[in-house]
Amino acid sequence: EPEVTQTPSHQVTQMGQEVILRCVPISNHLYFYWYRQILGQKVEFLVSFYNNEISEKSEIFDDQFSVERPDGSNFTLKIRSTKLEDSAMYFCASSVDRSSYEQYFGPGTRLTVT
Amino acid sequence: GENVEQHPSTLSVQEGDSAVIKCTYSDSASNYFPWYKQELGKRPQLIIDIRSNVGEKKDQRIAVTLNKTAKHFSLHITETQPEDSAVYFCAASIDDMRFGAGTRLTVKP
């Protein structure tokens, strides 16, 4: 069964550095998402992406965040200047159609900012 | 934006008992309500979902009910087993998906 994949599984970075988290959505899916989960807390929506542009974004998704689909398979989340509070698990998800359809989550990237 | 409240935050039941988790949402335009199970350190896994044109859905030991008038929906797990122990999240979706705070379910053998 096809799965969403994410790399790396764990990323450690210093405050102020840029990080890029990578995702490969399921191949026939058209909508892509990024979520954040701070340890022990709920899953928080960051952004949705469709047809090479942002569809929706939350209040968390400020100017330090950006997303890109650089080629036909990868979907990336860039955090420009990381802060300590960016430490969290970041999940990518994809769905066949918009968010009223099943979203399949990747295994996550644990980001630790020191 | 949409706001999802989930109760209880923790729930402990004896194996074989039923478990019920409740969620309320604020935006009457929400039309999709999934439930996710998350085991420690793992990704959220969809266990059941319901759309706004349906009042109830069942899949073996799991059922979800939706009351659109009251803007609440519930997850029911019958004949609980220790492997049901996990954190369960509800969510409500229009254009983006908003999650509840989660319920840590513990099933004691």
Side-chain angles (χ1 to χ4, degrees), chain A residues 1-6 23-33 69 72-75 92-97 102-107, chain B residues 43 45:
Chain A
E1 188 175 328
E3 285 191 334
V4 176
T5 60
Q6 289 184 243
C23 168
V24 179
I26 294 173
S27 63
N28 65 331
H29 286 189
L30 301 179
Y31 279 80
F32 316 123
Y33 313 86
R69 188 151 163 85
S73 60
N74 289 283
F75 177 52
C92 172
S94 69
S95 61
V96 170
D97 204 328
E102 295 181 24
Q103 293 186 25
Y104 294 86
F105 280 71
Chain B
R43 74 186 84 188
Q45 297 265 22

Side-chain angles (χ1 to χ4, degrees), chain A residues 25-67:
Chain A
I26 294 173
S27 63
N28 65 331
H29 286 189
L30 301 179
Y31 279 80
F32 316 123
Y33 313 86
W34 282 103
Y35 293 89
R36 178 182 82 176
Q37 187 177 34
I38 296 169
L39 187 64
Q41 297 187 24
K42 68 177 175 182
V43 178
E44 298 175 291
F45 170 78
L46 292 177
V47 66
S48 61
F49 191 86
Y50 170 71
N51 199 26
N52 282 319
E53 60 183 31
I54 290 173
S55 179
E56 299 287 335
K57 60 182 181 179
S58 73
E59 54 279 1
I60 301 169
F61 193 87
D62 61 22
D63 292 343
Q64 69 163 334
F65 292 95
S66 62
V67 289

Side-chain angles (χ1 to χ4, degrees), chain B residues 18-39:
Chain B
S18 294
V20 180
I21 303 170
K22 298 182 179 182
C23 289
T24 60
Y25 60 100
S26 60
D27 193 331
S28 56
S30 289
N31 58 7
Y32 176 62
F33 306 92
W35 286 87
Y36 285 86
K37 176 183 180 182
Q38 188 177 33
E39 295 173 352

Side-chain angles (χ1 to χ4, degrees), chain A residues 100, chain B residues 25 28-33 49-55 66-68 93:
Chain A
S100 57
Chain B
Y25 60 100
S28 56
S30 289
N31 58 7
Y32 176 62
F33 306 92
D49 57 10
I50 192 167
R51 290 186 173 80
S52 57
N53 57 346
V54 175
L66 171 65
N67 183 327
K68 283 213 73 179
S93 176

